[in-house]
Amino acid sequence: MNTPQRLETVRRVQTAMATAYTTMGAWCLLHPSSVLALGFTPPYYAICNVTTSLFTRCFGAQAMTCGLVLGTSTMTSFSFTAFGLAMIPYIGWNYWFGIGPGKGMVTSLMWMDFIGNVFFGAGSLYCAKLLKEAEEEEEEKKEE
């Protein structure tokens, strides 16, 4: 794959991740009760209150900020690698509440969160690889 194709692929993956973060964040910010109702099983949803709603809105605002920064930044191979590795705790959360000791707290719809986190992690690491290859090509051209 030549450098322009690599950079276009990186741009598309970055835009997809930014759109997903911003959209899901907006949903949490603007309609936290539906996020909580879809995400938690009835025994846990029953104990949700104003504070839970506030925390969900705060989480949504942070996700929107992340999406906006991701969508407007010029990412490097290092920043994509850092972003991809930052997904590890989220995947750990998915494990803990999906099949681990916390099983039963979240609904089966949370598998979509797991898929999204894997996409963000793998997509980031793939973009880091493509950018690193493009950087190496640039270095080789300079040396010639």
Side-chain angles (χ1 to χ4, degrees):
M1 181 183 314
N2 66 30
T3 300
Q5 289 173 322
R6 280 190 195 110
L7 298 179
E8 185 62 23
T9 299
V10 168
R11 187 191 66 74
R12 287 181 178 158
V13 172
Q14 183 177 352
T15 300
M17 291 190 310
T19 301
Y21 259 95
T22 305
T23 302
M24 298 305 283
W27 180 26
C28 290
L29 179 66
L30 299 174
H31 208 294
S33 61
S34 68
V35 173
L36 294 167
L38 289 171
F40 291 95
T41 57
Y44 292 96
Y45 179 67
I47 60 174
C48 290
N49 56 32
V50 176
T51 304
T52 311
S53 181
L54 174 64
F55 287 162
T56 304
R57 287 177 189 268
C58 291
F59 177 78
Q62 289 175 328
M64 287 183 68
T65 301
C66 181
L68 292 171
V69 170
L70 184 60
T72 59
S73 296
T74 302
M75 301 282 281
T76 65
S77 61
F78 180 80
S79 55
F80 267 119
T81 300
F83 195 84
L85 293 175
M87 292 296 108
I88 293 171
Y90 294 97
I91 292 170
W93 187 94
N94 293 131
Y95 166 78
W96 186 270
F97 291 103
I99 59 175
K103 185 177 181 179
M105 185 175 185
V106 297
T107 66
S108 60
L109 290 175
M110 290 308 259
W111 66 268
M112 293 188 314
D113 184 61
F114 171 73
I115 290 172
N117 290 334
V118 169
F119 169 75
F120 292 138
S124 294
L125 296 176
Y126 180 66
C127 287
K129 177 183 175 281
L130 293 179
L131 286 176
K132 190 71 169 171
E133 289 171 357
E135 290 167 6
E136 289 170 357
E137 265 184 30
E138 288 293 319
E139 286 296 319
E140 287 175 12
K141 286 181 184 177
K142 287 180 183 177
E143 291 174 2
E144 291 177 1

Short mmCIF file of all heavy atoms in Angstrom, two decimals, residues 6-22 66-77 79-80 83 119-120 122-128 130-131:
data_model
loop_
_atom_site.label_atom_id
_atom_site.label_comp_id
_atom_site.label_asym_id
_atom_site.label_seq_id
_atom_site.Cartn_x
_atom_site.Cartn_y
_atom_site.Cartn_z
N ARG A 6 -2.32 4.76 2.56
CA ARG A 6 -2.18 4.57 4.00
C ARG A 6 -2.80 5.74 4.75
O ARG A 6 -3.55 5.56 5.71
CB ARG A 6 -0.71 4.48 4.40
CG ARG A 6 -0.08 3.17 4.18
CD ARG A 6 1.30 3.15 4.85
NE ARG A 6 2.04 2.03 4.34
CZ ARG A 6 3.09 2.11 3.55
NH1 ARG A 6 3.56 3.27 3.18
NH2 ARG A 6 3.69 1.02 3.12
N LEU A 7 -2.47 6.94 4.32
CA LEU A 7 -2.95 8.12 5.02
C LEU A 7 -4.47 8.27 4.89
O LEU A 7 -5.13 8.70 5.83
CB LEU A 7 -2.23 9.37 4.50
CG LEU A 7 -0.72 9.37 4.73
CD1 LEU A 7 -0.09 10.63 4.16
CD2 LEU A 7 -0.37 9.20 6.19
N GLU A 8 -5.02 7.88 3.76
CA GLU A 8 -6.48 7.92 3.59
C GLU A 8 -7.15 6.89 4.49
O GLU A 8 -8.20 7.16 5.09
CB GLU A 8 -6.85 7.67 2.12
CG GLU A 8 -8.33 7.82 1.83
CD GLU A 8 -8.88 9.21 2.10
OE1 GLU A 8 -8.13 10.19 2.09
OE2 GLU A 8 -10.11 9.31 2.32
N THR A 9 -6.56 5.71 4.60
CA THR A 9 -7.10 4.69 5.50
C THR A 9 -7.07 5.18 6.94
O THR A 9 -8.04 5.04 7.68
CB THR A 9 -6.29 3.38 5.36
OG1 THR A 9 -6.40 2.91 4.02
CG2 THR A 9 -6.80 2.31 6.32
N VAL A 10 -5.96 5.78 7.33
CA VAL A 10 -5.83 6.32 8.69
C VAL A 10 -6.91 7.37 8.93
O VAL A 10 -7.57 7.37 9.97
CB VAL A 10 -4.42 6.90 8.93
CG1 VAL A 10 -4.37 7.72 10.20
CG2 VAL A 10 -3.38 5.78 8.95
N ARG A 11 -7.09 8.27 7.97
CA ARG A 11 -8.09 9.33 8.12
C ARG A 11 -9.48 8.74 8.27
O ARG A 11 -10.27 9.19 9.11
CB ARG A 11 -8.05 10.27 6.92
CG ARG A 11 -8.94 11.50 7.10
CD ARG A 11 -9.11 12.30 5.82
NE ARG A 11 -9.83 11.58 4.78
CZ ARG A 11 -11.14 11.36 4.77
NH1 ARG A 11 -11.89 11.76 5.77
NH2 ARG A 11 -11.72 10.71 3.78
N ARG A 12 -9.80 7.72 7.51
CA ARG A 12 -11.13 7.10 7.59
C ARG A 12 -11.36 6.41 8.93
O ARG A 12 -12.43 6.53 9.53
CB ARG A 12 -11.33 6.12 6.45
CG ARG A 12 -11.54 6.80 5.12
CD ARG A 12 -11.74 5.82 4.01
NE ARG A 12 -11.97 6.53 2.76
CZ ARG A 12 -11.79 6.02 1.57
NH1 ARG A 12 -11.38 4.77 1.45
NH2 ARG A 12 -12.02 6.73 0.50
N VAL A 13 -10.37 5.67 9.39
CA VAL A 13 -10.51 4.99 10.69
C VAL A 13 -10.62 6.02 11.81
O VAL A 13 -11.46 5.90 12.70
CB VAL A 13 -9.32 4.02 10.93
CG1 VAL A 13 -9.35 3.46 12.35
CG2 VAL A 13 -9.34 2.88 9.92
N GLN A 14 -9.79 7.05 11.75
CA GLN A 14 -9.82 8.10 12.76
C GLN A 14 -11.19 8.80 12.78
O GLN A 14 -11.75 9.04 13.84
CB GLN A 14 -8.71 9.12 12.51
CG GLN A 14 -8.62 10.20 13.54
CD GLN A 14 -7.46 11.15 13.30
OE1 GLN A 14 -6.61 10.92 12.44
NE2 GLN A 14 -7.41 12.23 14.06
N THR A 15 -11.73 9.08 11.61
CA THR A 15 -13.04 9.73 11.52
C THR A 15 -14.14 8.82 12.05
O THR A 15 -15.04 9.28 12.76
CB THR A 15 -13.35 10.13 10.05
OG1 THR A 15 -12.32 11.03 9.61
CG2 THR A 15 -14.69 10.79 9.92
N ALA A 16 -14.06 7.53 11.75
CA ALA A 16 -15.06 6.58 12.26
C ALA A 16 -15.01 6.52 13.78
O ALA A 16 -16.06 6.53 14.44
CB ALA A 16 -14.83 5.19 11.66
N MET A 17 -13.81 6.46 14.35
CA MET A 17 -13.69 6.41 15.80
C MET A 17 -14.19 7.71 16.43
O MET A 17 -14.90 7.69 17.44
CB MET A 17 -12.24 6.14 16.21
CG MET A 17 -11.78 4.74 15.86
SD MET A 17 -10.18 4.24 16.57
CE MET A 17 -9.10 5.56 16.15
N ALA A 18 -13.85 8.84 15.84
CA ALA A 18 -14.29 10.14 16.37
C ALA A 18 -15.81 10.26 16.32
O ALA A 18 -16.44 10.72 17.28
CB ALA A 18 -13.64 11.27 15.59
N THR A 19 -16.40 9.81 15.24
CA THR A 19 -17.86 9.87 15.09
C THR A 19 -18.54 8.98 16.13
O THR A 19 -19.52 9.38 16.76
CB THR A 19 -18.27 9.45 13.66
OG1 THR A 19 -17.64 10.33 12.73
CG2 THR A 19 -19.77 9.50 13.48
N ALA A 20 -18.00 7.77 16.31
CA ALA A 20 -18.59 6.86 17.30
C ALA A 20 -18.50 7.44 18.71
O ALA A 20 -19.48 7.43 19.45
CB ALA A 20 -17.89 5.49 17.23
N TYR A 21 -17.33 7.94 19.07
CA TYR A 21 -17.17 8.53 20.41
C TYR A 21 -18.12 9.70 20.62
O TYR A 21 -18.79 9.81 21.65
CB TYR A 21 -15.73 9.02 20.61
CG TYR A 21 -14.88 8.08 21.41
CD1 TYR A 21 -14.07 7.15 20.79
CD2 TYR A 21 -14.88 8.12 22.79
CE1 TYR A 21 -13.28 6.28 21.51
CE2 TYR A 21 -14.11 7.25 23.54
CZ TYR A 21 -13.30 6.34 22.89
OH TYR A 21 -12.54 5.48 23.61
N THR A 22 -18.18 10.59 19.65
CA THR A 22 -19.02 11.78 19.79
C THR A 22 -20.50 11.42 19.84
O THR A 22 -21.25 11.95 20.66
CB THR A 22 -18.74 12.77 18.63
OG1 THR A 22 -17.33 13.05 18.61
CG2 THR A 22 -19.49 14.06 18.81
N CYS A 66 -13.51 13.57 23.90
CA CYS A 66 -12.55 12.65 23.29
C CYS A 66 -12.80 12.53 21.79
O CYS A 66 -11.86 12.57 20.99
CB CYS A 66 -12.64 11.28 23.96
SG CYS A 66 -11.49 10.07 23.30
N GLY A 67 -14.06 12.39 21.40
CA GLY A 67 -14.39 12.29 19.99
C GLY A 67 -14.04 13.53 19.20
O GLY A 67 -13.51 13.46 18.09
N LEU A 68 -14.31 14.68 19.79
CA LEU A 68 -13.99 15.94 19.11
C LEU A 68 -12.47 16.13 18.98
O LEU A 68 -11.98 16.56 17.93
CB LEU A 68 -14.62 17.12 19.85
CG LEU A 68 -16.14 17.17 19.78
CD1 LEU A 68 -16.69 18.24 20.73
CD2 LEU A 68 -16.61 17.42 18.37
N VAL A 69 -11.73 15.80 20.01
CA VAL A 69 -10.27 15.90 19.94
C VAL A 69 -9.74 14.89 18.93
O VAL A 69 -8.88 15.22 18.10
CB VAL A 69 -9.63 15.69 21.33
CG1 VAL A 69 -8.11 15.54 21.24
CG2 VAL A 69 -9.98 16.86 22.24
N LEU A 70 -10.23 13.67 18.98
CA LEU A 70 -9.80 12.64 18.05
C LEU A 70 -10.11 13.04 16.60
O LEU A 70 -9.31 12.81 15.70
CB LEU A 70 -10.48 11.30 18.39
CG LEU A 70 -10.08 10.08 17.58
CD1 LEU A 70 -8.60 9.79 17.73
CD2 LEU A 70 -10.89 8.87 18.05
N GLY A 71 -11.24 13.66 16.40
CA GLY A 71 -11.64 14.05 15.05
C GLY A 71 -10.92 15.26 14.49
O GLY A 71 -10.89 15.48 13.28
N THR A 72 -10.33 16.08 15.36
CA THR A 72 -9.70 17.31 14.89
C THR A 72 -8.19 17.32 15.04
O THR A 72 -7.54 18.26 14.60
CB THR A 72 -10.28 18.53 15.64
OG1 THR A 72 -10.06 18.36 17.04
CG2 THR A 72 -11.76 18.70 15.36
N SER A 73 -7.62 16.29 15.65
CA SER A 73 -6.18 16.25 15.89
C SER A 73 -5.45 15.57 14.74
O SER A 73 -5.98 14.71 14.06
CB SER A 73 -5.87 15.47 17.17
OG SER A 73 -6.42 16.12 18.28
N THR A 74 -4.20 15.96 14.58
CA THR A 74 -3.31 15.26 13.68
C THR A 74 -2.59 14.22 14.52
O THR A 74 -1.70 14.53 15.30
CB THR A 74 -2.30 16.23 13.04
OG1 THR A 74 -3.01 17.26 12.36
CG2 THR A 74 -1.39 15.50 12.08
N MET A 75 -3.03 12.99 14.38
CA MET A 75 -2.50 11.91 15.19
C MET A 75 -1.19 11.40 14.59
O MET A 75 -1.02 11.39 13.38
CB MET A 75 -3.51 10.76 15.28
CG MET A 75 -4.85 11.14 15.87
SD MET A 75 -4.83 11.27 17.65
CE MET A 75 -4.91 9.54 18.10
N THR A 76 -0.30 10.97 15.46
CA THR A 76 0.96 10.36 15.05
C THR A 76 0.92 8.87 15.37
O THR A 76 -0.03 8.40 16.02
CB THR A 76 2.14 11.00 15.82
OG1 THR A 76 2.00 10.70 17.21
CG2 THR A 76 2.18 12.51 15.61
N SER A 77 1.94 8.15 14.95
CA SER A 77 1.97 6.72 15.28
C SER A 77 2.03 6.53 16.80
O SER A 77 1.40 5.63 17.34
CB SER A 77 3.15 6.03 14.60
OG SER A 77 4.37 6.57 15.02
N SER A 79 0.75 8.62 19.14
CA SER A 79 -0.54 8.93 19.77
C SER A 79 -1.58 7.85 19.47
O SER A 79 -2.40 7.53 20.34
CB SER A 79 -1.04 10.32 19.35
OG SER A 79 -1.11 10.46 17.97
N PHE A 80 -1.52 7.26 18.29
CA PHE A 80 -2.44 6.15 18.00
C PHE A 80 -2.10 4.94 18.87
O PHE A 80 -3.00 4.24 19.35
CB PHE A 80 -2.40 5.76 16.53
CG PHE A 80 -3.41 6.44 15.68
CD1 PHE A 80 -3.03 7.25 14.63
CD2 PHE A 80 -4.78 6.27 15.91
CE1 PHE A 80 -3.98 7.88 13.83
CE2 PHE A 80 -5.73 6.89 15.12
CZ PHE A 80 -5.33 7.71 14.08
N PHE A 83 -3.41 5.66 22.32
CA PHE A 83 -4.88 5.57 22.34
C PHE A 83 -5.32 4.11 22.30
O PHE A 83 -6.24 3.71 23.02
CB PHE A 83 -5.47 6.34 21.15
CG PHE A 83 -6.93 6.60 21.26
CD1 PHE A 83 -7.41 7.68 21.98
CD2 PHE A 83 -7.85 5.76 20.65
CE1 PHE A 83 -8.76 7.93 22.09
CE2 PHE A 83 -9.20 5.99 20.75
CZ PHE A 83 -9.66 7.08 21.48
N PHE A 119 -12.58 -2.57 18.43
CA PHE A 119 -12.40 -1.79 17.20
C PHE A 119 -11.50 -0.58 17.48
O PHE A 119 -10.58 -0.29 16.71
CB PHE A 119 -13.75 -1.35 16.64
CG PHE A 119 -13.63 -0.33 15.53
CD1 PHE A 119 -13.22 -0.70 14.27
CD2 PHE A 119 -13.90 1.01 15.78
CE1 PHE A 119 -13.10 0.24 13.26
CE2 PHE A 119 -13.79 1.95 14.79
CZ PHE A 119 -13.38 1.57 13.52
N PHE A 120 -11.77 0.15 18.56
CA PHE A 120 -10.96 1.33 18.88
C PHE A 120 -9.51 0.94 19.13
O PHE A 120 -8.58 1.61 18.66
CB PHE A 120 -11.51 2.06 20.10
CG PHE A 120 -12.84 2.71 19.88
CD1 PHE A 120 -13.82 2.64 20.86
CD2 PHE A 120 -13.14 3.40 18.72
CE1 PHE A 120 -15.05 3.24 20.68
CE2 PHE A 120 -14.37 4.00 18.53
CZ PHE A 120 -15.34 3.92 19.50
N ALA A 122 -7.84 -1.99 18.22
CA ALA A 122 -7.21 -2.56 17.02
C ALA A 122 -7.07 -1.52 15.92
O ALA A 122 -6.04 -1.46 15.23
CB ALA A 122 -8.02 -3.76 16.52
N GLY A 123 -8.09 -0.69 15.75
CA GLY A 123 -8.03 0.36 14.73
C GLY A 123 -6.92 1.35 15.02
O GLY A 123 -6.19 1.77 14.11
N SER A 124 -6.74 1.69 16.27
CA SER A 124 -5.67 2.61 16.65
C SER A 124 -4.30 2.00 16.39
O SER A 124 -3.41 2.66 15.85
CB SER A 124 -5.78 2.99 18.14
OG SER A 124 -6.95 3.73 18.36
N LEU A 125 -4.14 0.74 16.78
CA LEU A 125 -2.85 0.09 16.56
C LEU A 125 -2.56 -0.11 15.07
O LEU A 125 -1.41 0.01 14.63
CB LEU A 125 -2.79 -1.23 17.33
CG LEU A 125 -2.86 -1.07 18.86
CD1 LEU A 125 -2.90 -2.43 19.54
CD2 LEU A 125 -1.73 -0.22 19.39
N TYR A 126 -3.60 -0.39 14.29
CA TYR A 126 -3.43 -0.52 12.83
C TYR A 126 -3.02 0.83 12.23
O TYR A 126 -2.10 0.89 11.41
CB TYR A 126 -4.72 -1.03 12.20
CG TYR A 126 -4.64 -1.20 10.71
CD1 TYR A 126 -3.80 -2.17 10.14
CD2 TYR A 126 -5.40 -0.41 9.85
CE1 TYR A 126 -3.72 -2.32 8.77
CE2 TYR A 126 -5.33 -0.56 8.48
CZ TYR A 126 -4.49 -1.52 7.94
OH TYR A 126 -4.41 -1.67 6.58
N CYS A 127 -3.67 1.90 12.66
CA CYS A 127 -3.31 3.24 12.16
C CYS A 127 -1.89 3.60 12.56
O CYS A 127 -1.15 4.20 11.78
CB CYS A 127 -4.29 4.29 12.67
SG CYS A 127 -5.91 4.20 11.89
N ALA A 128 -1.50 3.23 13.78
CA ALA A 128 -0.12 3.48 14.23
C ALA A 128 0.87 2.76 13.32
O ALA A 128 1.89 3.33 12.93
CB ALA A 128 0.05 3.03 15.68
N LEU A 130 0.39 1.83 10.15
CA LEU A 130 0.40 2.49 8.83
C LEU A 130 1.19 3.79 8.86
O LEU A 130 1.96 4.09 7.93
CB LEU A 130 -1.03 2.76 8.35
CG LEU A 130 -1.88 1.53 8.02
CD1 LEU A 130 -3.27 1.96 7.57
CD2 LEU A 130 -1.22 0.67 6.95
N LEU A 131 1.01 4.59 9.91
CA LEU A 131 1.75 5.84 10.00
C LEU A 131 3.24 5.60 10.19
O LEU A 131 4.07 6.34 9.64
CB LEU A 131 1.20 6.70 11.14
CG LEU A 131 -0.15 7.35 10.88
CD1 LEU A 131 -0.64 8.10 12.11
CD2 LEU A 131 -0.08 8.31 9.70
#
